[in-house]
Amino acid sequence: MAMMTLKTRDGNEVEAYVAGPDTARHGILIIHDWWGVLKYNRDWADRLAALGYRVMVTDLYDGEKASNAARAGELMRNLDQDIADNKLLAALNELKQGGRTITTLGWSLGGREALLAAMLDPEVVNSDILFYCRMVNDVEALSQLSGPTLAIYAEQERIWPDKMHAFDKAMAAAGKVVENHSFDAGHGFVNPGSERYSEQASNRSWDLVVDFLRRVAPL
């Protein structure tokens, strides 16, 4: 486990937490939720690294962490997607060294960014895992995906199941595969610091992620 500073093509820097064997054949890029990089993001990285994957947690907020929901919302709204894309590309370029294929994974804001990252380098990203995020429903954009998507939803969100149905329709039109799972829990149920945290849903979703990875990214 180590911290790494990556250079982006537009001259910026992005901090990344890296774990797992350098000889791993498959990498996992983890992207944080609207709070910024939290301990549970690194914990997931360590757990996935223990399975044999090379894992990187990238920081789209330049080290800032929100202390309340109002600040988290402000950070999310102020995120420049062009700058974020360059940070994601820098992370993907580092993680794919040695010919690795990659899975992108994220929660909430990070889920959407994981989906966008999968479109940035589809020759390398062969799968993505999305937790309770705002979906991309543009069929032309989704057609760029090169592999399956695991979508995990929180049933207590007001927009569930509508957003699941809309995403399913768009993915079908794009000719892409999506696996859906949902839990009777609130948005943020994986984050132990959230009032909506559900240990049961978090543990079960972990099992789903591991099963998915073993099918799409065997070591």
Side-chain angles (χ1 to χ4, degrees):
M1 286 115 27
M3 294 300 299
M4 180 182 296
T5 301
L6 307 176
K7 293 286 188 179
T8 67
R9 63 184 182 183
D10 57 351
N12 291 312
E13 295 183 344
V14 56
E15 294 297 317
Y17 175 83
V18 185
D22 191 49
T23 55
R25 294 167 49 198
H26 191 80
I28 302 172
L29 177 61
I30 289 179
I31 309 163
H32 57 81
D33 59 25
W34 73 337
W35 297 102
V37 176
L38 300 177
K39 182 178 181 297
Y40 86 91
N41 306 140
R42 294 188 294 271
D43 287 346
W44 271 60
D46 292 341
R47 293 168 72 189
L48 290 167
L51 297 178
Y53 296 101
R54 182 71 167 173
V55 191
M56 178 179 290
V57 181
T58 190
D59 188 351
L60 300 182
Y61 284 176
D62 297 325
E64 186 161 0
K65 297 178 180 63
S67 59
N68 55 64
R71 180 56 179 158
E74 183 179 7
L75 287 170
M76 182 177 67
R77 289 190 297 273
N78 290 338
L79 184 68
D80 184 307
Q81 192 58 54
D82 289 336
I83 294 176
D85 284 350
N86 285 327
K87 291 178 179 179
L88 294 171
L89 279 170
L92 291 172
N93 287 337
E94 175 64 29
L95 198 52
K96 72 182 181 183
Q97 297 303 309
R100 291 189 196 96
T101 52
I102 296 173
T103 297
T104 57
L105 181 158
W107 303 268
S108 190
L109 164 71
R112 182 177 176 83
E113 295 296 328
L115 183 55
L116 294 174
M119 301 173 192
L120 291 174
D121 196 351
E123 292 186 3
V124 171
V125 181
N126 71 356
S127 51
D128 51 282
I129 301 170
L130 321 176
F131 279 82
Y132 41 74
C133 65
R134 186 163 58 92
M135 299 305 200
V136 175
N137 293 324
D138 182 281
V139 174
E140 183 176 356
L142 293 173
S143 67
Q144 299 175 61
L145 294 173
S146 64
T149 295
L150 173 63
I152 299 176
Y153 296 93
E155 295 176 6
Q156 292 177 17
E157 288 185 332
R158 289 182 294 105
I159 54 176
W160 187 89
D162 293 347
K163 75 172 181 179
M164 180 179 70
H165 296 326
F167 186 61
D168 283 352
K169 182 178 179 180
M171 287 286 278
K176 303 301 175 181
V177 174
V178 57
E179 299 181 20
N180 293 322
H181 296 273
S182 65
F183 295 96
D184 183 11
H187 186 102
F189 66 74
V190 175
N191 178 4
S194 170
E195 62 183 13
R196 302 187 184 98
Y197 173 65
S198 168
E199 182 178 8
Q200 181 183 37
S202 180
N203 289 340
R204 288 175 61 195
S205 67
W206 166 261
D207 292 338
L208 291 172
V209 167
V210 173
D211 174 71
F212 180 76
L213 287 170
R214 284 176 174 161
R215 287 183 284 115
V216 304
L219 294 168

